[in-house]
């Protein structure tokens, strides 16, 4: 994909999954779901989508053209030594753009891949699958994180979000801070510096996407019928606080930084893309397309 310079802000969505039939019919694909949820009203804003699961990555020379990167969920996990080449290449890309000072937002699998890329630990969730609309609690001290300060106060310490995962962040990367947690997941959100943010849930998802995923999980016996019924019931109380979460993500991507943002930017030199991003390319390009699956989305 050739990327032309843009006058306004530019973002890349790194899609680590193939579209399900439902996502294609109802939303035109997951890329549209992300762009529709995170795009601002700025007419000069440009969004490019790359299907990294199929080996489509931004060219190293184009990385400086982007203000931020968003990593989607995936049917694959982000841990283990046997991860596909595209997962390893994605981790290298995330490490590179983080060092360049670019904004990086990871969602579900993307949250876990970002953690792994920056030196944290990811693995199977001790409590097994987490599926449904879940309440997430923010830590008491969010001072310095502008994208959180605007929405989190003494009157609001939690927000609901859609979750569909069996893996989680076990240890945040060096220098990382846990920003939110839940009764099932210790690290619902973390940040490293002012330009890396991971969210375990799905800010972009709507109830219809969740209900379709639940049906697929039950249909493939990934979760049992009782767990599916419990997950469906979580949607009956009004659904996720989607406007809150998408607003938080927009604030982060557009510059609502963390503590020490100016000092951190001054300390972080602009780096050339990691050479491994190029050397791994010939391996990734021949990975076959993976059929849409419900796991980890």
């Amino acid at each position: 994909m050739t990327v032309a310079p843009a006058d306004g802000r530019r973002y890349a969505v790194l899609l680590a999954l193939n579209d399900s039939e439902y996502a294609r019919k109802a939303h035109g694909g997951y890329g549209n779901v992300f762009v529709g949820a995170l795009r601002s009203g700025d007419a000069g804003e440009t969004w490019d989508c790359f299907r990294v699961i199929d080996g489509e990555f931004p060219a190293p020379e184009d990385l400086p053209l982007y203000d931020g990167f968003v990593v989607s969920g995936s049917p694959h996990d982000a841990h283990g030594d046997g991860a596909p080449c595209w997962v390893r290449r994605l981790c290298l890309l995330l490490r590179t753009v983080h060092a360049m000072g670019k904004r990086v937002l990871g969602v579900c699998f993307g949250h876990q891949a970002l953690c792994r890329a920056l030196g944290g630990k990811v693995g199977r969730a001790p409590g097994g699958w987490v599926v449904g609309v879940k309440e997430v609690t923010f830590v008491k001290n969010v001072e310095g994180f502008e994208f959180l300060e605007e929405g989190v106060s003494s009157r609001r310490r939690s927000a609901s979000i859609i979750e569909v995962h069996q893996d989680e962040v076990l240890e945040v990367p060096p220098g990382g801070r846990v920003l939110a947690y839940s009764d099932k997941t210790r690290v619902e959100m973390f940040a490293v510096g002012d330009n890396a943010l991971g969210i375990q849930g799905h800010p972009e998802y709507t109830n219809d996407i969740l209900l379709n995923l639940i049906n697929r999980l039950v249909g493939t016996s990934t979760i049992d019928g009782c767990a599916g019924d419990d997950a469906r019931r979580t949607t009956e109380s009004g659904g996720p606080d989607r406007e809150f979460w998408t607003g938080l993500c927009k604030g982060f991507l557009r510059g609502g930084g963390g503590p020490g943002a100016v000092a951190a930017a001054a300390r972080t030199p602009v780096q050339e893309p990691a050479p491994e991003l190029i050397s791994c390319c010939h391996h990734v390009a021949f990975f076959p397309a993976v059929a849409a699956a419900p796991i980890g989305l």
Side-chain angles (χ1 to χ4, degrees), residues 224-243:
D224 61 35
C226 291
D229 290 339
D230 290 342
R232 291 186 190 96
R233 277 192 288 271
T234 67
T235 68
E236 296 172 359
S237 60
D241 295 314
R242 190 170 184 262
E243 185 176 349

Side-chain angles (χ1 to χ4, degrees), residues 46-106:
T46 301
W47 287 77
D48 300 320
C49 294
F50 296 88
R51 192 80 59 177
V52 295
I53 191 173
D54 292 335
E56 184 186 15
F57 281 76
E61 62 270 21
D62 289 336
L63 299 182
L65 299 177
Y66 289 96
D67 295 282
F69 297 81
V70 180
V71 190
S72 77
S74 179
H76 294 271
D77 63 55
H79 61 85
D81 295 333
C85 186
W86 71 264
V87 174
R88 300 194 299 274
R89 187 181 177 198
L90 174 62
C91 288
L92 288 165
L93 172 62
L94 297 180
R95 198 176 307 149
T96 297
V97 296
H98 178 257
M100 294 171 70
K102 304 295 184 179
R103 298 269 161 170
V104 186
L105 171 64

Side-chain angles (χ1 to χ4, degrees), residues 31-47:
N32 284 345
V33 174
F34 270 100
V35 175
L38 301 181
R39 183 193 293 273
S40 73
D42 183 359
E45 197 172 273
T46 301
W47 287 77

